[in-house]
Structure formats: C-alpha cells, structure tokens
Amino acid sequence: MTMNPTSQRPLTMDEVRQRVDRVFKFLAEVARRRAPVIRRWQEHFWKLIFSELPDHPDVTRVQRTTDGQVIVLRVRRPKETPCPPPPSQLLDWVLPGWADVNQDARHLPTRNLEVAPSAPSGNDSDALFQTTVTIAFEDDQIRVDLFEAWKTQREKWRDAERPVRRVGAVYQRLFELQGRLERESERLALWVGDGLLRADAPVSVEYPLLVQRCELLFDSKTPAFEIRETSEPPELATPLLRELQVDGRTLVNLREKLAALDIDILDTDAKHFLAEAAHALFPNCEVLQERPAKAVDHPTVFRDPVVFASHRTGGMVTAIDNFLRRLHETGEIPGPLQDIIVSEPINAEEQSCDQDEQANDPPITDAHFQRDDRPPLLTKPANPEQEAVVTTLERDGAVVVQGPPGTGKTHTIANLLGHLLAHGKTVLVTSHTTKALRVLREKVVEELRPLCVSVLDRDAESRQQLEESVKGIIHGLATSREEHLRQAGQADAARHQTWKKLKLIEQELRRSIRDQYDDIVIGGETISPVAAARLIHSEGTSHAWLPGPLESGHVCQLS
C-alpha cells in the first residue's frame, strides 16, 4: 500500500482555498439540480406577453410617471356590454350560446309544431286527433329577415366586445395573481423581461436576456392593476447563460457594464446593450426588432416584453456564487467553515497573522463603555445571531439579513425596532406587500405597538391602526412624568454597569480558555499545555521537592 506524501505535511492556505472552492462549487451544482434552470419563459406558472395583449384604452403599456417610476403595464377593469337579445319571434328558434362573444349565432333548421286537435270524420264523433307538423326556418321570410337583421347587429357588438372581454380576462388573471402573491410573498417573485433569446441547439431556449423585478399594485378607486418596476436594477439571465456554458469572463464583464449603466430594459436605450450582449455571448447571433416569422438555424434575440411570476429558487446558488467571488478576491475563509471542510493540519506560519489578531485581544478599558457603545435594548428574546445583526448595524450603518421563511427575519426586525427606538431613532419599514407589514406589526411587543404608525392600503383597518397609533402617542406624552423618566435613567445606568461587568467576565473567560491551548514559554523554549501536563504527571515524583506554588515572575535563587 502506498501513501500520499502530501498527507504527511501541513496544508498550505492555497490548498485550503482550492478545497473550499471545490466544495462550494459542488453545493452550487446540487442546488441547480434540485431547482433546474427554466429555459423557456412559457414554463413559468404565470406569464404574459405584450404582443398578445388586446389593443384597448383600458390597457396601457410602458408608461413613466412624473416621479420617474416605470409602469410596465396598467389594466383597468373594462365595462362589458351584454349581447343584444334576439327578437321575441326568434326566441324558440335561436340555439343556446347566442350571448357568448366567442360563439356564432345559430338557429334550428326545423321545428316540430303540434297542430290543434280537430274532430275526425265518420261515426266516432267523440274522438279527437293531434297531428305534428315539421316547419323549416326558411318557410317564413319575415323570420329569416328578422334573424339576419339581428345577426348583423350582433356581429357589430361582437367585434366591439371581443377586445373588452380579452381585457377582462387579463384583469381576472391579475386579480388571481395578486391573491397568490399575497399568500406566498416570500416564495414568489414577479419579473419583466425583454430581449428574448431563441435558440434550438444544443437545447431549445426562449428566454429574455434582461430581467427586472416588478411589483403588482391595485388601485381600488379606478379599479385597475399596475405592474411597476422596483428600484432594483436590471439583471442578465445569469442562471440560464451559465446553463448554456457561455464564456464566464464575458458574462462577468457584461454584468459589470450593465450595473454601471442606467437603462430601463423596456426603453429603446436597452437595444444597444442587448445587441452588444448577444454578439459577445453568441458569435453567430442575429439581433432582430421583432419576433421572427419562422425558425432559423442560429440564435436570435428580438424585442417582445414578457411578464412572468416565478419561484424564488436561485437564492442558494446566488449566495454561493457571491461567496466564491469574495473568496477569489480576498482569499479570506471563515474559521468555522475552515474547521468543517479541512481536517488536516494547516501551515501555522501562514496562519500566524490571523491567529495573533484573534488571540491577543486588547484589554477592555473604560473607553469601550462609552454611552454610544451601550448594549442593545431588545424587547424580545434574541439569539447570538440576532444580537450580531444589531452590532453590525451599529458598526457599519447597514446590514443585510437573508434566509428562507420561518428563520426569524420578522422577529429580528421587531427586535431591532425596540433597540432603535430606545436610542431615539425614527424608523421607516417598507415592504413589497402589505401582508408582511401587518405580520411585523403583530410581532412588535404590545407596549410599543401604539408607536407603529401604519400607512398601508386605503382600507378601514389601516385607518383604525393609524388612529390607535396617534392616540397612543398622545397618551404617552400626556402621562409621562418626571419621576418615571428619572427611574428609567437609573435603570439604564444600572443595566449599563451590569453589562460592563459581563464584558469583563467574558474577557477573563476567554483568557482562561486560551490558557489551555496557548504554548507555555520557559527559558525561551515552548511547550504545549497538554505536553506540560503529561510531563508533570510522569515526572512529578522526581521534582516533588520543588517549593510551590510559585507566583508569576518569581525568581528562584537556585545554584
């Protein structure tokens, strides 16, 4: 059996980074397998394409508001007109479905009519007979003329009503989408895309090169639905392009250039970037102004905006890609992650700088306990990760918290509100959905809930919450007394002193823990605590005559 010689030496930091890189690339591939990339925009569970929208005054495409926001699509609820009814003479002849705008007006070709009974001839004068007569529709010219006149009137109604009914169908679809987005706001996202890439080899693809996040809003006064672009910048369809194995460096350059440009993907300014991206990613790609009439044997990119709703499946892959990018730029590997992935020893000389910075903690002095460095005032239970969010926000002025549903993001925000209010801050909380704001308000502790001024939809519940907030603020100002404020100040000072003692104890505890691992230096020679303990245990009887214990720095007067 042979042994790998490299396993006998400590790993270098470059080897550690390569191992971490391979592990995270493997995790990214697993995430992609679990959530396959969608290659055709039609496969999304909700989709809409501009070229199939009806031309109607109730449908408005790509409109910019006075404050600079872009309304991708506005659909007003149309006013439908019922079909003109047929004349009374035709009610028994017209077939069902005449009121449906998508069906033609039809009539029965014939009808069977029962003739009134008459007395028979002969001796049986009491017997009566009924006879049935078949009548054709064309037998009565007046009836034919009435039907043709009504049919002409109905055709005019149908030509005018078809776009209205199509608008109504789009409005209904948006209504259903709004309900689903409110129920699953953390799982679904709405996008607008343009620059459709179509290719048949090596796989069939039809997907927008540029996409941007949108939000669906409802105007109850009109009523109308609006799809508006969010403040997030447009993006390249990176997961799809990686699936197509385009050049990675070219893709990175295009993403950086797009981030530097201030373009709207639905404006004419975007066509120059689309053309550049198409030619850079696909050498034989053809850029067209509209959808091609027939299939071609090379990739094409054309303008035809689409709106679709998708599941949030790319979060894990995006997070891994961002981590790998930082790893390649800085080379920094978090210690816990390094311990999980690497089990072999690492070259101590390459880690000495980082270890020295972590081991030699400066002593805690009064400078660490200024009034601006007070402990967080959290109104709800918090774990170390949530406390770290508060610390990061105080230190950097900004913090990003990501996580799947149910991991405590709303709880963290509610906790953060109490801390910021305690420091005299005014807080504004926004969200894409009003449901998220309502859930957050319920998470806030009851004592602070009256301070939450809700500005949600224009409904009775929002107005009631606003009134309660104003009444709560007025009541708080009216009932505040000097004695209460003095007691609050004393409690805050006592809490500050307790936190100061806690920090000093934590520092001593860290030093005690390090004493179990840091090397012992005696006479210029170093020995680990474990080796020293074994040495004392094995040779204790030989050196039992030594006096002890000795204080640190004591000079032994021995010859």
Side-chain angles (χ1 to χ4, degrees):
M1 183 177 72
T2 61
M3 183 175 294
N4 187 356
T6 59
S7 62
Q8 303 300 315
R9 62 173 176 81
L11 296 175
T12 65
M13 290 305 298
D14 287 339
E15 292 173 333
V16 174
R17 295 186 185 96
Q18 291 175 5
R19 185 172 296 186
V20 173
D21 182 83
R22 291 196 298 270
V23 169
F24 272 82
K25 285 182 177 177
F26 170 78
L27 294 176
E29 186 61 29
V30 171
R32 292 189 181 97
R33 298 281 181 177
R34 291 180 176 178
V37 175
I38 295 180
R39 301 189 182 100
R40 301 184 65 84
W41 69 272
Q42 298 93 333
E43 296 176 5
H44 289 292
F45 72 90
W46 195 95
K47 59 271 185 184
L48 193 69
I49 187 167
F50 274 33
S51 59
E52 296 180 0
L53 288 173
D55 292 328
H56 194 271
D58 291 332
V59 177
T60 306
R61 303 172 177 84
V62 192
Q63 182 181 17
R64 191 176 294 273
T65 62
T66 54
D67 56 355
Q69 293 187 358
V70 177
I71 301 177
V72 176
L73 180 66
R74 177 181 171 86
V75 179
R76 186 171 55 188
R77 187 176 68 186
K79 184 178 181 180
E80 297 182 355
T81 304
C83 178
S88 58
Q89 298 91 325
L90 301 178
L91 291 177
D92 295 334
W93 289 91
V94 176
L95 290 173
W98 58 267
D100 189 348
V101 71
N102 297 315
Q103 294 190 26
D104 295 329
R106 297 172 301 162
H107 59 77
L108 294 172
T110 59
R111 284 187 61 204
N112 294 328
L113 296 181
E114 294 181 354
V115 180
S118 57
S121 59
N123 298 328
D124 192 4
S125 59
D126 295 332
L128 298 177
F129 294 91
Q130 274 188 330
T131 58
T132 302
V133 178
T134 301
I135 302 176
F137 183 80
E138 291 80 5
D139 290 346
D140 189 347
Q141 187 60 37
I142 298 178
R143 186 166 53 232
V144 173
D145 294 340
L146 284 174
F147 181 82
E148 291 300 327
W150 172 73
K151 184 178 179 181
T152 302
Q153 182 185 7
R154 183 182 181 277
E155 287 297 325
K156 293 180 180 179
W157 165 83
R158 188 165 73 161
D159 293 340
E161 191 67 15
R162 273 178 173 171
V164 177
R165 298 299 175 94
R166 290 178 60 193
V167 174
V170 175
Y171 183 90
Q172 180 63 28
R173 292 185 59 204
L174 290 172
F175 181 83
E176 295 170 356
L177 176 63
Q178 184 198 32
R180 184 163 182 178
L181 289 177
E182 289 183 351
R183 294 191 305 270
E184 308 176 50
S185 59
E186 295 186 351
R187 296 178 52 196
L188 303 177
L190 188 63
W191 301 85
V192 59
D194 200 2
L196 289 178
L197 168 67
R198 175 186 285 182
D200 294 327
V203 293
S204 178
V205 174
E206 185 174 324
Y207 207 86
L209 278 180
L210 284 179
V211 294
Q212 187 170 2
R213 283 286 302 274
C214 294
E215 58 180 344
L216 180 61
L217 305 176
F218 179 65
D219 181 6
S220 58
K221 290 183 177 180
T222 306
F225 283 102
E226 290 182 355
I227 298 178
R228 294 197 179 198
E229 293 181 356
T230 64
S231 58
E232 298 183 20
E235 307 173 14
L236 277 171
T238 304
L240 173 67
L241 295 175
R242 285 177 177 160
E243 183 84 2
L244 298 178
Q245 299 181 352
V246 300
D247 181 67
R249 175 50 54 185
T250 302
L251 181 57
V252 171
N253 293 337
L254 288 173
R255 291 177 63 183
E256 293 177 351
K257 184 170 184 179
L258 178 61
L261 295 175
D262 184 16
I263 62 174
D264 189 291
I265 65 174
L266 300 179
D267 287 347
T268 55
D269 297 339
K271 69 177 182 180
H272 303 294
F273 178 81
L274 282 171
E276 179 182 354
H279 294 148
L281 295 170
F282 308 98
N284 58 339
C285 185
E286 182 181 5
V287 180
L288 306 174
Q289 292 300 318
E290 57 185 12
R291 179 183 293 269
K294 58 181 180 178
V296 294
D297 57 355
H298 55 269
T300 57
V301 173
F302 53 91
R303 306 295 299 273
D304 194 359
V306 297
V307 178
F308 58 87
S310 65
H311 295 276
R312 300 175 188 262
T313 56
M316 177 66 72
V317 176
T318 303
I320 293 176
D321 290 340
N322 292 336
F323 171 79
L324 291 176
R325 186 178 68 254
R326 290 194 301 269
L327 176 65
H328 297 157
E329 292 175 354
T330 64
E332 297 180 0
I333 305 175
L337 177 62
Q338 181 175 291
D339 296 338
I340 293 174
I341 296 180
V342 181
S343 59
E344 296 89 335
I346 302 175
N347 193 330
E349 295 181 358
E350 297 188 34
Q351 289 187 303
S352 59
C353 295
D354 294 338
Q355 291 179 348
D356 290 342
E357 292 178 359
Q358 298 174 0
N360 299 326
D361 292 338
I364 296 180
T365 63
D366 289 339
H368 291 79
F369 301 104
Q370 301 298 324
R371 298 299 294 176
D372 293 338
D373 191 27
R374 291 177 296 180
L377 286 164
L378 303 180
T379 56
K380 303 172 73 69
N383 54 29
E385 289 78 11
Q386 293 171 342
E387 293 178 356
V389 171
V390 180
T391 304
T392 304
L393 180 61
E394 292 290 334
R395 184 184 67 244
D396 301 336
V399 63
V400 178
V401 180
Q402 290 181 317
T407 54
K409 298 187 297 297
T410 306
H411 182 96
T412 302
I413 297 174
N415 234 346
L416 192 58
L417 290 177
H419 171 75
L420 295 174
L421 290 175
H423 285 73
K425 303 291 180 64
T426 301
V427 187
L428 171 65
V429 183
T430 64
S431 174
H432 292 304
T433 62
T434 56
K435 178 184 177 182
L437 295 176
R438 288 193 175 96
V439 173
L440 174 60
R441 194 177 192 276
E442 295 174 358
K443 290 283 186 180
V444 176
V445 293
E446 189 174 355
E447 292 79 3
L448 296 180
R449 204 171 296 166
L451 300 179
C452 299
V453 180
S454 303
V455 184
L456 304 178
D457 291 336
R458 303 177 182 87
D459 54 11
E461 180 182 357
S462 300
R463 290 194 298 271
Q464 182 181 358
Q465 290 181 2
L466 179 59
E467 293 175 0
E468 292 176 355
S469 300
V470 174
K471 291 178 181 178
I473 294 173
I474 295 175
H475 177 73
L477 294 174
T479 56
S480 296
R481 295 291 185 268
E482 183 178 355
E483 179 64 23
H484 294 164
L485 297 176
R486 183 167 54 253
Q487 292 177 359
Q490 294 173 355
D492 183 59
R495 181 176 183 272
H496 186 66
Q497 290 298 323
T498 303
W499 179 71
K500 180 178 179 179
K501 294 178 182 179
L502 178 62
K503 289 299 179 182
L504 292 172
I505 294 173
E506 288 179 353
Q507 186 185 46
E508 292 299 325
L509 180 60
R510 286 197 298 269
R511 289 174 179 171
S512 299
I513 294 175
R514 283 202 301 270
D515 288 342
Q516 303 179 28
Y517 301 97
D518 292 349
D519 291 341
I520 302 172
V521 181
I522 302 177
E525 298 182 0
T526 61
I527 183 172
S528 67
V530 175
R534 291 173 179 170
L535 180 63
I536 292 174
H537 179 73
S538 61
E539 302 184 9
T541 56
S542 302
H543 305 286
W545 57 272
L546 289 172
L550 299 178
E551 296 181 357
S552 176
H554 182 76
V555 179
C556 298
Q557 302 295 334
L558 298 176
S559 63

